[in-house]
Amino acid sequence: MDSAFLEPCLYTVKAVFILDNDGNRLLSKYYDPEFYSSIKEQKNFERNVFNKTHKADNEIAFLEGMTIVYKCSIDLFFYVVGSAQENELMLMSVLNCLFDSLSQILRKNVERRCLLDNMEGVFLVVDEIIDGGVILESDPQQVLQKVSYRADENPLSEQSVTQVLQSAKEQIKWSILK
């Protein structure tokens, strides 16, 4: 037998990105250094993907030799990109895990403003699902447990530095205005 058939392989992702309803980048992570290495090439690829998918009612697209699975929600488009040989079901499970995890973090309010307000959590979720292009997790509950996010509570010890500073600014502003 050929040794190439015996080598184990991992499911991999070439890129993950989230665009708004105008096709502007909100988040992107490219895992393959040979796959659109410059920002200009990446944005051009994202624009081509958006133009092909934003009016379509599908879940999968093939563009430039890549398999792209996507989902839209209100004013956001979520994309997971893999090679042409990648298993579409695995890519879709990554996309669903990403969307479901973010839905929990954003308290079912998956829209542009909420996503931008919680970018640190979004990056944590993406990093828990994919590491260096290798799919690590596809269960949203496991991802949420790993990032220690609780949708119902966010005590001071779990708040980000940005949230603490914002809260302090608000308190100072109101104490000065009194």
Side-chain angles (χ1 to χ4, degrees):
M1 287 184 96
D2 189 4
S3 63
F5 291 114
L6 299 177
E7 289 182 29
C9 67
L10 298 172
Y11 293 110
T12 58
V13 171
K14 298 278 187 189
V16 171
F17 51 92
I18 302 172
L19 306 177
D20 66 10
N21 59 350
D22 295 324
N24 298 317
R25 174 193 286 189
L26 300 176
L27 172 139
S28 73
K29 289 196 91 163
Y30 286 78
Y31 299 102
D32 187 349
E34 293 155 15
F35 180 65
Y36 303 112
S37 55
S38 75
I39 292 181
K40 184 178 179 182
E41 290 174 329
Q42 291 173 2
K43 287 191 173 190
N44 189 36
F45 174 70
E46 291 167 12
R47 186 173 40 257
N48 290 341
V49 169
F50 180 76
N51 288 338
K52 182 172 182 170
T53 61
H54 78 282
K55 292 184 180 176
D57 194 26
N58 302 323
E59 295 178 337
I60 188 167
F62 298 98
L63 184 69
E64 299 179 21
M66 296 292 140
T67 302
I68 304 160
V69 293
Y70 61 96
K71 179 181 278 197
C72 74
S73 170
I74 304 174
D75 58 352
L76 297 174
F77 288 84
F78 297 83
Y79 296 93
V80 176
V81 181
S83 68
Q85 295 79 29
E86 199 58 60
N87 185 334
E88 294 89 357
L89 294 175
M90 283 304 297
L91 294 175
M92 189 56 86
S93 72
V94 169
L95 179 64
N96 288 333
C97 180
L98 173 65
F99 186 82
D100 293 346
S101 299
L102 292 178
S103 180
Q104 288 292 318
I105 286 175
L106 302 175
R107 295 180 178 98
K108 307 277 188 224
N109 194 13
V110 184
E111 63 174 345
R112 183 180 192 274
R113 185 183 53 77
C114 288
L115 184 96
L116 291 174
D117 289 344
N118 294 285
M119 279 307 270
E120 66 275 353
V122 175
F123 278 108
L124 284 173
V125 166
V126 171
D127 289 341
E128 284 299 326
I129 297 171
I130 305 163
D131 185 24
V134 177
I135 300 169
L136 299 178
E137 189 63 65
S138 61
D139 180 15
Q141 295 307 316
Q142 291 296 318
V143 170
L144 291 172
Q145 186 177 16
K146 288 178 184 176
V147 298
S148 299
Y149 245 96
R150 301 288 179 257
D152 299 332
E153 56 187 282
N154 197 7
L156 188 59
S157 64
E158 291 184 11
Q159 287 184 347
S160 71
V161 174
T162 307
Q163 290 169 325
V164 171
L165 289 174
Q166 185 65 30
S167 176
K169 284 180 189 177
E170 290 292 318
Q171 289 175 0
I172 291 170
K173 180 176 81 174
W174 286 111
S175 66
I176 292 172
L177 292 175
K178 286 184 178 181

